[in-house]
Amino acid sequence: MTMLSFAIETARCAGALLLDGLARRRTMELKSAYEVVTEIDRDSEALIVAAIRRTFPDHAILAEEGGRVERESPFLWLIDPLDGTNNYAHGFPFFSISIALMENDTLLLGVVFDPLRNELFSAERGAGAWCNEQRLRVSATPTLASSLVSTGFPYDYATTADNNTRQFTRLQARTQGVRRAGSAALDLAYVAAGRLDAHWELRLKPWDTAAGALLVLEAGGRLSDWRGAPWNPWNDRLVASNGRIHDELIAALAE
Protein backbone atom coordinates (compact mmCIF):
# COMPACT_ATOMS: atom_id res chain seq x y z
CA MET A 1 0.00 0.00 0.00
CA THR A 2 1.37 3.41 -0.94
CA MET A 3 1.24 6.27 1.52
CA LEU A 4 -1.36 8.04 -0.65
CA SER A 5 -3.62 4.99 -0.87
CA PHE A 6 -3.30 4.61 2.90
CA ALA A 7 -4.34 8.24 3.43
CA ILE A 8 -7.31 7.81 1.08
CA GLU A 9 -8.49 4.63 2.78
CA THR A 10 -8.09 6.16 6.24
CA ALA A 11 -10.00 9.32 5.25
CA ARG A 12 -12.85 7.20 3.91
CA CYS A 13 -13.01 5.22 7.18
CA ALA A 14 -13.11 8.46 9.16
CA GLY A 15 -15.79 9.77 6.79
CA ALA A 16 -17.99 6.75 7.51
CA LEU A 17 -17.62 7.52 11.21
CA LEU A 18 -18.68 11.14 10.66
CA LEU A 19 -21.74 10.09 8.65
CA ASP A 20 -22.77 7.64 11.36
CA GLY A 21 -22.41 10.33 14.00
CA LEU A 22 -24.40 12.82 11.95
CA ALA A 23 -27.50 10.65 12.32
CA ARG A 24 -27.22 10.68 16.11
CA ARG A 25 -27.64 13.41 18.69
CA ARG A 26 -24.41 15.39 18.92
CA THR A 27 -22.93 16.88 22.07
CA MET A 28 -20.96 20.12 21.77
CA GLU A 29 -18.26 21.41 24.10
CA LEU A 30 -16.20 24.59 24.09
CA LYS A 31 -12.48 23.88 23.93
CA SER A 32 -11.84 27.62 24.22
CA ALA A 33 -14.04 30.64 24.83
CA TYR A 34 -15.40 30.44 21.27
CA GLU A 35 -14.22 27.19 19.66
CA VAL A 36 -16.51 24.16 19.47
CA VAL A 37 -15.50 20.51 19.65
CA THR A 38 -17.66 17.37 19.51
CA GLU A 39 -17.08 13.78 20.59
CA ILE A 40 -16.95 12.89 16.89
CA ASP A 41 -13.88 15.13 16.42
CA ARG A 42 -12.07 13.04 19.01
CA ASP A 43 -13.34 9.70 17.72
CA SER A 44 -12.32 10.54 14.14
CA GLU A 45 -8.89 11.70 15.27
CA ALA A 46 -8.38 8.55 17.35
CA LEU A 47 -9.23 6.41 14.33
CA ILE A 48 -6.77 8.24 12.05
CA VAL A 49 -3.95 8.39 14.61
CA ALA A 50 -4.32 4.69 15.43
CA ALA A 51 -4.16 3.79 11.73
CA ILE A 52 -0.97 5.81 11.24
CA ARG A 53 0.65 4.33 14.32
CA ARG A 54 -0.11 0.80 13.12
CA THR A 55 1.07 1.37 9.55
CA PHE A 56 3.87 3.92 9.98
CA PRO A 57 4.98 3.56 13.61
CA ASP A 58 8.11 5.66 13.10
CA HIS A 59 6.25 8.70 11.69
CA ALA A 60 5.42 11.83 13.70
CA ILE A 61 1.84 13.07 13.95
CA LEU A 62 0.30 16.49 14.59
CA ALA A 63 -3.48 16.50 14.93
CA GLU A 64 -5.94 19.23 15.87
CA GLU A 65 -7.46 17.69 18.99
CA GLY A 66 -4.16 16.91 20.66
CA GLY A 67 -3.29 13.56 19.11
CA ARG A 68 0.38 14.43 18.82
CA VAL A 69 2.99 11.69 18.43
CA GLU A 70 6.59 12.86 18.72
CA ARG A 71 9.12 10.87 16.71
CA GLU A 72 12.62 11.47 15.40
CA SER A 73 11.38 11.21 11.84
CA PRO A 74 11.48 13.32 8.69
CA PHE A 75 7.82 12.33 8.11
CA LEU A 76 5.03 14.33 9.76
CA TRP A 77 1.29 13.69 9.34
CA LEU A 78 -0.97 16.75 9.72
CA ILE A 79 -4.55 15.81 10.57
CA ASP A 80 -7.82 17.67 10.89
CA PRO A 81 -10.28 14.90 11.78
CA LEU A 82 -13.31 17.16 11.26
CA ASP A 83 -12.79 20.47 9.50
CA GLY A 84 -16.02 22.39 9.90
CA THR A 85 -16.94 21.24 13.41
CA ASN A 86 -19.43 24.07 13.94
CA ASN A 87 -21.20 23.11 10.72
CA TYR A 88 -21.23 19.44 11.70
CA ALA A 89 -22.54 20.14 15.19
CA HIS A 90 -25.49 22.05 13.73
CA GLY A 91 -26.15 19.62 10.90
CA PHE A 92 -25.02 22.08 8.22
CA PRO A 93 -23.76 19.94 5.32
CA PHE A 94 -20.27 21.35 4.71
CA PHE A 95 -17.43 19.61 6.51
CA SER A 96 -14.47 17.41 5.67
CA ILE A 97 -11.52 15.34 6.82
CA SER A 98 -8.04 16.60 5.98
CA ILE A 99 -4.89 14.45 6.02
CA ALA A 100 -1.48 15.57 4.77
CA LEU A 101 2.04 14.19 4.93
CA MET A 102 5.25 16.20 4.95
CA GLU A 103 8.83 15.04 4.61
CA ASN A 104 10.99 17.63 6.35
CA ASP A 105 9.63 20.89 4.85
CA THR A 106 8.09 19.37 1.73
CA LEU A 107 4.43 18.47 1.33
CA LEU A 108 4.26 14.97 -0.15
CA LEU A 109 0.54 14.26 -0.27
CA GLY A 110 -2.81 15.65 0.74
CA VAL A 111 -6.31 14.22 1.02
CA VAL A 112 -9.53 16.14 1.69
CA PHE A 113 -12.66 14.01 1.92
CA ASP A 114 -16.26 15.26 1.84
CA PRO A 115 -18.23 12.21 3.00
CA LEU A 116 -21.64 13.75 2.31
CA ARG A 117 -20.91 14.17 -1.41
CA ASN A 118 -18.48 11.24 -1.56
CA GLU A 119 -15.88 13.57 -3.07
CA LEU A 120 -12.33 12.46 -2.37
CA PHE A 121 -9.83 15.17 -3.29
CA SER A 122 -6.24 13.95 -3.41
CA ALA A 123 -2.85 15.18 -4.51
CA GLU A 124 0.66 13.82 -4.55
CA ARG A 125 3.65 16.04 -5.21
CA GLY A 126 4.38 16.05 -8.92
CA ALA A 127 1.42 13.81 -9.81
CA GLY A 128 -1.43 16.31 -10.06
CA ALA A 129 -4.64 16.81 -8.11
CA TRP A 130 -7.75 14.70 -8.42
CA CYS A 131 -11.37 14.46 -7.29
CA ASN A 132 -12.23 10.78 -7.35
CA GLU A 133 -11.14 9.86 -10.92
CA GLN A 134 -11.25 13.38 -12.39
CA ARG A 135 -8.10 15.48 -12.86
CA LEU A 136 -8.41 18.94 -11.32
CA ARG A 137 -7.37 22.28 -12.78
CA VAL A 138 -7.80 25.73 -11.29
CA SER A 139 -10.12 28.15 -13.06
CA ALA A 140 -9.16 30.46 -15.90
CA THR A 141 -10.99 33.47 -14.42
CA PRO A 142 -8.85 36.46 -15.47
CA THR A 143 -9.81 39.27 -13.09
CA LEU A 144 -10.83 39.84 -9.49
CA ALA A 145 -14.01 41.55 -10.68
CA SER A 146 -15.14 38.40 -12.46
CA SER A 147 -14.20 36.02 -9.64
CA LEU A 148 -16.02 34.03 -6.98
CA VAL A 149 -13.87 33.75 -3.86
CA SER A 150 -14.09 32.42 -0.32
CA THR A 151 -12.79 33.29 3.11
CA GLY A 152 -13.15 32.51 6.80
CA PHE A 153 -13.05 34.27 10.15
CA PRO A 154 -11.23 33.45 13.40
CA TYR A 155 -13.33 32.07 16.25
CA ASP A 156 -12.68 35.18 18.37
CA TYR A 157 -13.63 37.69 15.65
CA ALA A 158 -16.03 39.45 18.05
CA THR A 159 -13.23 40.39 20.46
CA THR A 160 -10.27 41.12 18.17
CA ALA A 161 -9.78 43.91 15.65
CA ASP A 162 -7.67 41.68 13.39
CA ASN A 163 -10.67 39.65 12.31
CA ASN A 164 -10.89 39.91 8.48
CA THR A 165 -14.18 41.83 8.44
CA ARG A 166 -12.72 44.91 6.72
CA GLN A 167 -11.12 42.74 4.05
CA PHE A 168 -14.35 40.80 3.61
CA THR A 169 -16.35 43.99 3.05
CA ARG A 170 -13.77 45.29 0.58
CA LEU A 171 -13.62 42.05 -1.44
CA GLN A 172 -17.39 41.57 -1.41
CA ALA A 173 -17.67 44.85 -3.34
CA ARG A 174 -14.92 43.95 -5.84
CA THR A 175 -15.85 40.38 -6.81
CA GLN A 176 -18.91 38.52 -7.98
CA GLY A 177 -19.27 37.19 -4.46
CA VAL A 178 -17.49 36.01 -1.32
CA ARG A 179 -18.52 32.68 0.20
CA ARG A 180 -17.94 31.75 3.81
CA ALA A 181 -18.84 28.06 4.16
CA GLY A 182 -16.79 27.11 7.22
CA SER A 183 -14.28 24.43 6.11
CA ALA A 184 -10.97 25.85 4.90
CA ALA A 185 -9.84 22.43 3.65
CA LEU A 186 -12.89 22.14 1.39
CA ASP A 187 -12.58 25.77 0.30
CA LEU A 188 -9.04 25.04 -0.89
CA ALA A 189 -10.19 21.86 -2.62
CA TYR A 190 -12.80 23.95 -4.43
CA VAL A 191 -10.10 26.38 -5.60
CA ALA A 192 -8.18 23.40 -6.98
CA ALA A 193 -11.34 22.18 -8.71
CA GLY A 194 -12.06 25.59 -10.29
CA ARG A 195 -15.31 25.99 -8.35
CA LEU A 196 -13.79 28.97 -6.55
CA ASP A 197 -11.18 31.32 -7.99
CA ALA A 198 -9.42 32.08 -4.69
CA HIS A 199 -9.50 31.66 -0.93
CA TRP A 200 -7.93 33.88 1.71
CA GLU A 201 -7.96 33.47 5.46
CA LEU A 202 -6.03 34.27 8.63
CA ARG A 203 -5.30 32.56 11.97
CA LEU A 204 -5.05 29.16 10.30
CA LYS A 205 -3.30 26.06 11.63
CA PRO A 206 -1.13 23.60 9.69
CA TRP A 207 -3.78 20.87 9.82
CA ASP A 208 -6.34 23.29 8.31
CA THR A 209 -4.35 24.02 5.20
CA ALA A 210 -1.62 21.49 4.38
CA ALA A 211 -3.69 19.04 2.32
CA GLY A 212 -5.74 21.70 0.55
CA ALA A 213 -2.68 23.78 -0.24
CA LEU A 214 -1.03 20.88 -2.06
CA LEU A 215 -4.26 20.33 -4.00
CA VAL A 216 -4.13 23.95 -5.21
CA LEU A 217 -0.46 23.74 -6.22
CA GLU A 218 -0.89 20.44 -8.06
CA ALA A 219 -3.95 21.84 -9.88
CA GLY A 220 -1.85 24.72 -11.23
CA GLY A 221 -2.70 27.38 -8.65
CA ARG A 222 -0.63 29.73 -6.55
CA LEU A 223 -0.08 30.13 -2.79
CA SER A 224 1.34 32.96 -0.72
CA ASP A 225 0.88 34.80 2.53
CA TRP A 226 -1.14 38.04 2.54
CA ARG A 227 1.87 40.05 1.36
CA GLY A 228 2.63 37.76 -1.55
CA ALA A 229 5.61 36.14 0.19
CA PRO A 230 6.19 32.36 0.08
CA TRP A 231 3.79 30.33 2.20
CA ASN A 232 4.28 27.23 4.33
CA PRO A 233 1.84 25.36 6.61
CA TRP A 234 3.08 27.21 9.70
CA ASN A 235 2.20 30.58 8.17
CA ASP A 236 -1.22 31.49 9.58
CA ARG A 237 -2.25 33.83 6.71
CA LEU A 238 -2.96 32.18 3.40
CA VAL A 239 -3.95 33.32 -0.07
CA ALA A 240 -4.66 30.53 -2.57
CA SER A 241 -5.80 31.32 -6.09
CA ASN A 242 -5.89 30.29 -9.72
CA GLY A 243 -2.77 32.47 -10.16
CA ARG A 244 -4.39 34.89 -12.60
CA ILE A 245 -6.10 37.00 -9.93
CA HIS A 246 -3.49 36.51 -7.21
CA ASP A 247 -1.72 39.87 -7.42
CA GLU A 248 -5.01 41.76 -7.57
CA LEU A 249 -6.23 39.95 -4.49
CA ILE A 250 -2.99 40.63 -2.59
CA ALA A 251 -3.25 44.32 -3.48
CA ALA A 252 -6.85 44.50 -2.27
CA LEU A 253 -5.96 42.85 1.04
CA ALA A 254 -3.09 45.32 1.55
CA GLU A 255 -5.19 48.47 1.18
Side-chain angles (χ1 to χ4, degrees), residues 42-111:
R42 299 188 179 103
D43 291 346
S44 177
E45 182 169 303
L47 182 156
I48 297 168
V49 169
I52 295 170
R53 294 185 74 174
R54 284 194 306 270
T55 311
F56 304 105
D58 296 331
H59 288 194
I61 302 169
L62 178 60
E64 180 176 13
E65 304 308 328
R68 185 176 187 122
V69 176
E70 299 281 1
R71 293 284 190 272
E72 290 295 328
S73 171
F75 294 102
L76 173 65
W77 293 89
L78 298 166
I79 302 162
D80 193 335
L82 173 49
D83 188 46
T85 296
N86 209 356
N87 289 345
Y88 184 89
H90 290 276
F92 186 80
F94 197 81
F95 54 84
S96 62
I97 296 134
S98 177
I99 301 174
L101 176 64
M102 297 186 72
E103 183 179 14
N104 296 318
D105 296 326
T106 301
L107 282 167
L108 294 184
L109 63 86
V111 170

Side-chain angles (χ1 to χ4, degrees), residues 228-244:
W231 176 89
N232 65 69
W234 279 264
N235 191 316
D236 69 349
R237 292 177 185 248
L238 170 66
V239 178
S241 81
N242 66 358
R244 294 170 179 251

Side-chain angles (χ1 to χ4, degrees), residues 104-207:
N104 296 318
D105 296 326
T106 301
L107 282 167
L108 294 184
L109 63 86
V111 170
V112 176
F113 182 43
D114 176 352
L116 282 174
R117 297 168 185 81
N118 193 32
E119 289 190 323
L120 193 294
F121 300 90
S122 64
E124 194 168 20
R125 177 163 293 276
W130 303 80
C131 179
N132 299 336
E133 303 301 319
Q134 182 178 356
R135 183 76 178 257
L136 300 181
R137 293 297 300 175
V138 294
S139 74
T141 303
T143 64
L144 192 61
S146 57
S147 69
L148 182 69
V149 301
S150 61
T151 193
F153 300 95
Y155 283 103
D156 61 349
Y157 67 88
T159 58
T160 180
D162 187 20
N163 60 12
N164 197 32
T165 55
R166 287 178 295 121
Q167 291 85 356
F168 172 83
T169 300
R170 186 180 308 135
L171 269 298
Q172 180 68 26
R174 297 191 188 182
T175 63
Q176 291 189 350
V178 179
R179 302 292 180 257
R180 197 277 186 170
S183 170
L186 267 185
D187 288 328
L188 291 169
Y190 280 22
V191 173
R195 300 173 186 176
L196 292 166
D197 302 306
H199 178 80
W200 88 91
E201 197 166 343
L202 75 166
R203 311 275 287 282
L204 292 162
K205 301 296 186 183
W207 50 78

